[in-house]
Amino acid sequence: MTDVSDWWRTSIIEMEPGKIHLRGHPIQDLIGTRSFSEMIWMMVRGDMPSPAQSKLFEAALVAAVDHGPQAPSIAAARMAVTCGLPLNNAMASAVNMLGDVHGGAGEQAVEMYHHIQEFDGDLAAALDDWMALRGKIIPGFGHRFHTPIDPRAPRLMTLVEEAVKADACCGAFLAIARGVENELAVRKNRPIPMNIDGATAVIYAELGFAPPLARGLFCLSRSVGILAHSWEQMQQGGRNKGPTPPHYRWTYDKP
Amino acid sequence: MTDVSDWWRTSIIEMEPGKIHLRGHPIQDLIGTRSFSEMIWMMVRGDMPSPAQSKLFEAALVAAVDHGPQAPSIAAARMAVTCGLPLNNAMASAVNMLGDVHGGAGEQAVEMYHHIQEFDGDLAAALDDWMALRGKIIPGFGHRFHTPIDPRAPRLMTLVEEAVKADACCGAFLAIARGVENELAVRKNRPIPMNIDGATAVIYAELGFAPPLARGLFCLSRSVGILAHSWEQMQQGGRNKGPTPPHYRWTYDKP
Amino acid sequence: MTDVSDWWRTSIIEMEPGKIHLRGHPIQDLIGTRSFSEMIWMMVRGDMPSPAQSKLFEAALVAAVDHGPQAPSIAAARMAVTCGLPLNNAMASAVNMLGDVHGGAGEQAVEMYHHIQEFDGDLAAALDDWMALRGKIIPGFGHRFHTPIDPRAPRLMTLVEEAVKADACCGAFLAIARGVENELAVRKNRPIPMNIDGATAVIYAELGFAPPLARGLFCLSRSVGILAHSWEQMQQGGRNKGPTPPHYRWTYDKP
Amino acid sequence: MTDVSDWWRTSIIEMEPGKIHLRGHPIQDLIGTRSFSEMIWMMVRGDMPSPAQSKLFEAALVAAVDHGPQAPSIAAARMAVTCGLPLNNAMASAVNMLGDVHGGAGEQAVEMYHHIQEFDGDLAAALDDWMALRGKIIPGFGHRFHTPIDPRAPRLMTLVEEAVKADACCGAFLAIARGVENELAVRKNRPIPMNIDGATAVIYAELGFAPPLARGLFCLSRSVGILAHSWEQMQQGGRNKGPTPPHYRWTYDKP
């Protein structure tokens, strides 16, 4: 018979009255000595990042904090505040929206990079195989708004190059992502540059994070913008703010 | 007539194709130069913290990342994963639970510190006035589990003392919180020591964060533990894990 | 020591392998014999409504199912679907928004009706007392959109009158609500007619539901519109639909 | 250029000041004349069910309202209430949990019935094909708790038979589901009887609801139990109730 105290098991935290150990470290030894991003790494993976890994990891977290109130998640947070929700519920409403389409591109891009890496054949064939399996949208490349280029991606790629030089990662996924970018440009006869999701996916893949964590870490990162916008809206006031002003409503489609 | 583009207003982000400025800074200048906790501060408040402020702020964020799967929020995250939810929905389910009782003590403690600071009378009278208005539970003091003491609080208070010496804050709220601790010990004839919420509230109050942000920042911090536990549960597997094993169900109360 | 099987207690459901009793009734005796609205009543309260009570209760549930995609909740559901969320997560995102401002007016109106009923003094004095305690917004009266009148309210009040004749309720809260409507018209020198929340609050108060259930039942009712809109959006398609079209973004407020 | 009022389109609701039409019907004509379950049908599909269709549809909604606080969703609702959340946020936390594993079996069973119906080959071959595509778990059959039989399923199947006689549906999916049950019994050499999800899936498929709606309608149905349990917990009180009593915590797995 399963003992009830066995029902939940974890190697993340060990606790006794007066004692909290996270990943084997007394919490009081972590407070004031570890950065918040090091804590994120350690909590998720168990080990501590090297300084160079930490720097690269932090860059990915910083890059994705916000993309404005046009994004469904940020809009949801702001709407939620005007519905009377406190910050925890507003933040949850927003993070909940980071589904496959809104928050999943990073995860899918890591999967695609892995797929290409493990594929028996060249990159073009690997990409075809991916598209046959997963559809025509190439996660992490192209942007409906940021033309010609998403300013976050080249900056992040420069940091990956520096990290490769510092032996924080090996560069294999950077090479794959650049290969995808080149291949897409050839196929479409115009640049389809890497976007924020493709770029953070390179970093998460280089650092050895599993694909679902690209989404999970994005949720953490975007939670920063979500909090900032929720709080700004709380100070602006407003009651039951829907998507558009009251006199712009919707189009009724007669059945 | 309100123009529709005026319906949402923000001073957090300015965006054009190829341009993302956060609080006036081009995103590419922030990536690789700013820490994640500096970004959190800047996004929420607009300005940049000093190094000493940043160190203190980071300690508060680090301290509250996890308190184990016994907490309803972490349990909710793990249960959600076994229901088939991806990480964004699992994280949202957990953050949603950080309501007045589970996630509100920090916010309430900042309110109480402000109330005491602004009260016309001594600390004991201010505390009585608070209890008359808000009830007998003193937010941020005492712990049902960590006896004699929550190991996070004294460590954080040491860091506040260092920050006062470094002119990162003035120490007024540290003094108030210590006053509350002393007053409670006298009244109850036993120690009711400051807990994690009382301690992070000192930090957030010292750094000038409004009370609701104590909750908002706690949500960010606890999201780290939520992500770690969600991911660990995802690797453990399990389907529809309820709170207890199937043969420990519930007590039926005959009406 | 608390036995773990005592941790959760309920008088709603009794279960053994092959046996499910709800409020003392075998589930198989309820299926096919009880209406969905009777089940809602029975699950929440324990007893069964009379036919006249059931009719009135059902009218309140029917009346509030939808108020269009301008409402933050419905908008959230539709946005969520375009973010790739399945229906359960889209519905949750929307119901979460039914906070104090968006979904709380019915609950507050029941509280106000109770306050007036229990007040030692006439209705005008009771209303003044309520406003002194709770602020100037009178929950359940007036509508920013439906002028001169919300078509749901008079229809519901007719049904309450019929229910009083059928002894399904006593009419005390109907009288109070009409008194509030008259008093407001006198004070403002123009009609401030009862809206959907004021009307359903009369029904829930007449039928003996506690104030928080006015919100809970509204959540059930509005979940119908939420499901319908989520599903319609799923069929329409769309990816990451924010509140407004991409070229209508937001106004950047220079700090 | 897309006009902003075109951004959201719906054929569900038409609204002008003083006018609310749902699916073409003035709301005041629906209130007091239509049952709640008829409204659900109409809102989701546009048309009105026949009396026999309505009866069958209502049975499915009634059958799935609750399965006790052992279920992650109900547990989440009760935990949420003890965290200080009002009913809307508690209900949202619970509905959010009805993901692929916890709330998706009905949807998957409808998909499987459709797959079998459209398959070019006999039922056994169709089932093999399904399992090759979707894995070994047959949605809607077998129950880890209700042995020998889930009492809801046979009762619902009796009602489907009656509905076939009343021409409310044709019985094709009833036949398929019975075929699956027989085939599984032969393959496993023991009964793997239809459960609640398999049974409601027969009804939703018979009535022509698309697969995702089996989940959406389940969410509506289970929201009833979620509300009842949330409210019961609110009356019981309790603060921060985790999954198990405080002294039953978790097992720490040394890394």
Side-chain angles (χ1 to χ4, degrees), chain C residues 108-122:
Chain C
Q108 295 148 20
V110 176
E111 289 170 345
M112 184 179 70
Y113 298 157
H114 285 174
H115 187 79
I116 292 171
Q117 188 180 49
E118 292 155 16
F119 188 76
D120 187 17
D122 67 7

Side-chain angles (χ1 to χ4, degrees), chain D residues 50-53 55 159-170:
Chain D
S50 71
Q53 288 173 320
K55 182 181 158 72
L159 292 171
V160 178
E161 286 168 2
E162 291 175 14
V164 172
K165 282 178 200 150
D167 278 332
C169 56
C170 76

Side-chain angles (χ1 to χ4, degrees), chain B residues 4 67-73 75-77 79-85 89-90 92-93 96-103 137 144-145 232 236 238-250 253, chain D residues 4 67-73 75-77 79-85 89-90 92-93 96-103 137 144-145 232 236 238-250 253:
Chain B
V4 68
H67 203 245
Q70 184 67 20
S73 51
M79 285 157 55
V81 164
T82 72
C83 294
L85 274 64
N89 303 123
S93 301
N96 215 33
M97 295 246 175
L98 300 174
D100 288 353
V101 176
H102 189 18
I137 295 174
R144 65 177 182 177
F145 181 78
E232 188 184 56
Q236 285 178 9
R239 288 171 63 86
N240 290 332
K241 267 188 97 141
T244 50
H247 49 289
Y248 296 90
R249 278 174 298 134
W250 63 83
D253 287 324
Chain D
V4 67
H67 203 245
Q70 184 65 22
S73 52
M79 285 158 54
V81 164
T82 73
C83 295
L85 274 64
N89 302 123
S93 301
N96 214 33
M97 296 246 174
L98 301 174
D100 287 353
V101 176
H102 188 18
I137 295 175
R144 64 178 181 175
F145 181 78
E232 188 184 54
Q236 285 178 10
R239 287 172 64 85
N240 289 334
K241 268 188 96 141
T244 49
H247 49 288
Y248 295 90
R249 279 174 297 135
W250 63 83
D253 286 325

Side-chain angles (χ1 to χ4, degrees), chain C residues 80-103:
Chain C
V81 165
T82 72
C83 295
L85 274 64
L87 290 175
N88 60 305
N89 303 124
M91 291 171 73
S93 301
V95 171
N96 214 34
M97 295 246 175
L98 300 174
D100 287 353
V101 176
H102 189 18

